[in-house]
Structure formats: structure tokens, C-alpha cells
Amino acid sequence: NQPGSAVVKTKEFKYYLHINSYGMNDRDIYGTEKAKIKIMVVGDSHTFASGVSWNETWPKILEQKLFKNNLEDGVVYNCAVAGYSLGQYLLRIRQLGDTLKPDIIIVGFSMATDLYDLVPPRMGGFVCRSNVGRVYFDLDAGGNLVEKKDLMGTDLTRHILENETAKDKTIFNKIKCFLEQNSALYRRFKRSRLVCWAAINLFKLDSLWPGSSTAVRIDLDKDGLYRWRLAKKLLEKIAEEARENNRKVIVVNIPYLPQAYDKIWQASFGQRPQLYDRFIGGTRLAEICRQAGVYYVDTTQKFIEESRQHKKILYYQYDAHPNSEGHKLIAGVVRDYIVENNLLTH
């Protein structure tokens, strides 16, 4: 993120960004150094957050709910970056940890993207800004987490040139790739009821929603197992480094849009109950957190309850990120969990 303010406007929403000198979509950090409790939040566009202004994101609402805008009592830093993945969350914590000195680290885990964005070049390349190199993480032959550098994008280029499959060369996939990157109309189309039905009955769901289908798939294939194993290792590493600095870690499960709405679930993944389970991703993530010794908050059920009982619109229909009501919901669930578990005590 580059420092400065901006207005983002689409046909569906308008929101304001305020990027401070540390690349955070947040206020400047000056004046927060003496806060009694400091909370650092990392995540992707579901936390950063696309579609709502900087002061309406769930980390800022959480700050208000916990500390009533009294920065001497506490502060919540929104360190999320749109398009980042779990490995980059770890790097973000390393980058800002010594400066912010948080007591608590919250990881906003998006079921829509965090099992999608984390694959390395050898398994298909980076999802967001695929032509840009970076530091990333992979698993070695023994299943251990390894850190790699692809600062010029050379690994990705080599993969594309040497390992491009026949499937990737088809005209259909080239068109699909182009549309996904350049067409808002296509993104609207692929979330329509008709396409949900067609994806289930005529095609393979995983090809339309790669990664996010991994979050709800019951029996994982080789690719799905890898994604979950890498996610597990990264969360364990975040927990390990947090403990070294006497920091608590909370992982917040932010559901994918179909998981939140009964009608959309039934029109898509719910048509194949033998293959997909609405809650299995949360069950797996909860077990990872238990083994890693970190706190776990699942907002899925609250999203379902609010959409059922109060008929609330919690996501943007076409963009598929949580709207302001969705952010309020996440903040409320996290706030209640923190208070009930007395996590603000040192």
C-alpha cells in the first residue's frame, strides 16, 4: 500500500482509503504508543477491507467496541493488505511487530481466499499480481515449512515456460483467465444462480471457485491437502513467533459468501452434500488452532443466523466482500470472544 488518501468507487459501492506511512489502511500511529493494550490485525481484502471505508472496517469497529475511542486504553492496528496471503501475513507481522509492539495478534482468515492465494510458483503461480516476485513459503519433501525468495519473478516465469499444461493452453482457460482479471461483468456472472447450478450439474466446482471450494470439500485431493498443510504450518509459525514475544494470537474465521446464505449454499455447493460441507473448513481450522495453541473465533454461524432471522444483507452481491453490516457483525463476535475469555489482561 502506498501512503495517501483515495476514493474507490464502483457501481456497487463507494469507500474511502487512508493509507498511513506504514502502509496501513488506518489512522497514523503517532499518539498510540502509550496505549495499554495494542492489537495488530493482519489479513487480506476481507479485513483491509474492500467495499467499506477505513474507519468502518471490522478492526476499527472492534477498537471502538473494546476501547470506546480512548487510545490510552487501547488501539487496534489494521495491518491487512488486499491480495495478501497467509505467508505474507507472517511477513507483515515480522515487518511491523517491533514497531507496533502488539500484545495480541489477530489473523483474519478468509475462507474465500486464504486457501487459494497461498500456492507457490511450482503449483501454478501466485494468484494476486502473478507477474510480481516476492518472498513466499512452501513445504519441503518432509512437510517442513521453507521460506523462498522469488524477487524478480524468475521462478514463476520458469514454471510457466516449462510446466504449462495442455489444459492451461486451451482457448477456454485463456479466455477465463483474462475475464477474471479484467471483467467485473464476468465476476458478477459467475456468482449468478444459473452459473451456480451449472457449476454443480455440468462442470467441476473447483474449476470455477478454486481454493474456496477447498474450504468446504469433505474429501480433499492432493492439491487440497497441500493447501491445508501449508496453511497449518504458516499458522503454527505465526503462533511460535508470537509466543517468543509474549503475544497472544487469535484466528478469526471469515466465511465465504455461499456459507453465509442458505439460498446461495443450496444453489451451489449444497447440491452435492456428499462432496461439500458448509462447516468442515471451520472444523479443520479450529483443530489447527487447537494444536497450535492459539485462540479461535468462528463467525460463520452468526452470519447464518443474521441472514436467516433478520434478513440482513451482509455481503456485496457481486463483489462478494462483507459490507458495513458484515464488518459490524465480525467485530461484534470478536469483541465478545475477547471479553468473555479475558484476553485484554497481560
Side-chain angles (χ1 to χ4, degrees), residues 35-53:
K36 296 176 184 177
I37 298 292
K38 298 176 182 177
I39 300 175
M40 177 182 185
V41 182
V42 292
D44 64 4
S45 56
H46 295 76
T47 300
F48 170 78
S50 294
V52 300
S53 295

Side-chain angles (χ1 to χ4, degrees), residues 114-125:
D114 273 329
L115 293 165
Y116 178 38
D117 293 340
L118 79 174
V119 293
R122 69 178 181 84
M123 295 186 66

Side-chain angles (χ1 to χ4, degrees), residues 85 87-88 91 118-122 126 133-139 145-151 155-156 226 230 234:
S85 64
Q88 290 165 306
L91 296 173
L118 79 174
V119 293
R122 69 178 181 84
F126 305 123
R134 67 200 66 183
V135 176
Y136 66 94
F137 295 86
D138 199 352
L139 299 177
L145 189 68
V146 290
E147 185 174 333
K148 297 188 175 184
K149 294 179 175 64
D150 181 25
L151 299 183
D155 287 353
L156 179 60
Y226 167 84
L230 180 54
L234 285 166

Side-chain angles (χ1 to χ4, degrees), residues 20-39:
N20 67 22
S21 57
Y22 292 91
M24 298 155 50
N25 188 25
D26 205 337
R27 68 165 71 85
D28 294 330
I29 73 168
Y30 309 110
T32 65
E33 299 90 341
K34 295 182 180 180
K36 296 176 184 177
I37 298 292
K38 298 176 182 177
I39 300 175

Side-chain angles (χ1 to χ4, degrees), residues 22 40-42 79 84-102 105 107 135-138 145-149 233-242 244-245 247 249:
Y22 292 91
M40 177 182 185
V41 182
V42 292
C79 302
Y84 267 22
S85 64
L86 273 172
Q88 290 165 306
Y89 303 169
L90 172 58
L91 296 173
R92 189 76 163 140
I93 294 167
R94 291 174 178 175
Q95 177 191 38
L96 294 177
D98 288 344
T99 299
L100 302 180
K101 297 179 173 57
I105 294 170
V107 178
V135 176
Y136 66 94
F137 295 86
D138 199 352
L145 189 68
V146 290
E147 185 174 333
K148 297 188 175 184
K149 294 179 175 64
K233 289 295 183 180
L234 285 166
L235 288 171
E236 288 175 346
K237 189 64 175 175
I238 289 172
E240 175 189 329
E241 294 186 7
E244 292 172 356
N245 291 281
R247 295 167 181 160
V249 175

Side-chain angles (χ1 to χ4, degrees), residues 16-216:
Y16 297 86
L17 299 176
H18 180 266
I19 309 299
N20 67 22
S21 57
Y22 292 91
M24 298 155 50
N25 188 25
D26 205 337
R27 68 165 71 85
D28 294 330
I29 73 168
Y30 309 110
T32 65
E33 299 90 341
K34 295 182 180 180
K36 296 176 184 177
I37 298 292
K38 298 176 182 177
I39 300 175
M40 177 182 185
V41 182
V42 292
D44 64 4
S45 56
H46 295 76
T47 300
F48 170 78
S50 294
V52 300
S53 295
W54 70 271
N55 57 343
E56 297 178 322
T57 63
W58 67 263
K60 302 319 296 178
I61 298 173
L62 176 64
E63 178 183 89
Q64 184 179 26
K65 287 180 175 291
L66 287 174
F67 307 118
K68 311 299 182 185
N69 293 324
N70 185 339
L71 296 183
E72 291 185 1
D73 287 343
V75 62
V76 178
Y77 299 110
N78 186 357
C79 302
V81 180
Y84 267 22
S85 64
L86 273 172
Q88 290 165 306
Y89 303 169
L90 172 58
L91 296 173
R92 189 76 163 140
I93 294 167
R94 291 174 178 175
Q95 177 191 38
L96 294 177
D98 288 344
T99 299
L100 302 180
K101 297 179 173 57
D103 303 288
I104 300 172
I105 294 170
I106 301 180
V107 178
F109 190 102
S110 168
M111 284 290 169
T113 52
D114 273 329
L115 293 165
Y116 178 38
D117 293 340
L118 79 174
V119 293
R122 69 178 181 84
M123 295 186 66
F126 305 123
V127 175
C128 186
R129 298 187 179 274
S130 59
N131 61 329
V132 179
R134 67 200 66 183
V135 176
Y136 66 94
F137 295 86
D138 199 352
L139 299 177
D140 64 17
N144 302 303
L145 189 68
V146 290
E147 185 174 333
K148 297 188 175 184
K149 294 179 175 64
D150 181 25
L151 299 183
M152 298 302 293
T154 51
D155 287 353
L156 179 60
T157 303
R158 189 180 307 113
H159 171 82
I160 292 174
L161 291 176
E162 297 177 359
N163 301 307
E164 188 176 14
T165 64
K167 180 181 177 181
D168 292 330
K169 295 177 182 178
T170 65
I171 293 176
F172 171 79
N173 279 278
K174 287 183 178 180
I175 293 173
K176 174 175 174 287
C177 181
F178 174 81
L179 288 173
E180 284 182 331
Q181 295 179 16
N182 298 283
S183 173
L185 178 62
Y186 173 79
R187 292 192 290 273
R188 291 187 181 195
F189 169 71
K190 85 172 192 175
R191 294 188 182 95
S192 68
R193 288 280 188 88
L194 175 61
V195 173
C196 286
W197 179 90
I200 281 289
N201 294 282
L202 303 178
F203 305 106
K204 187 179 179 183
L205 261 176
D206 303 63
S207 64
L208 193 63
W209 299 294
S212 49
S213 62
T214 302
V216 293

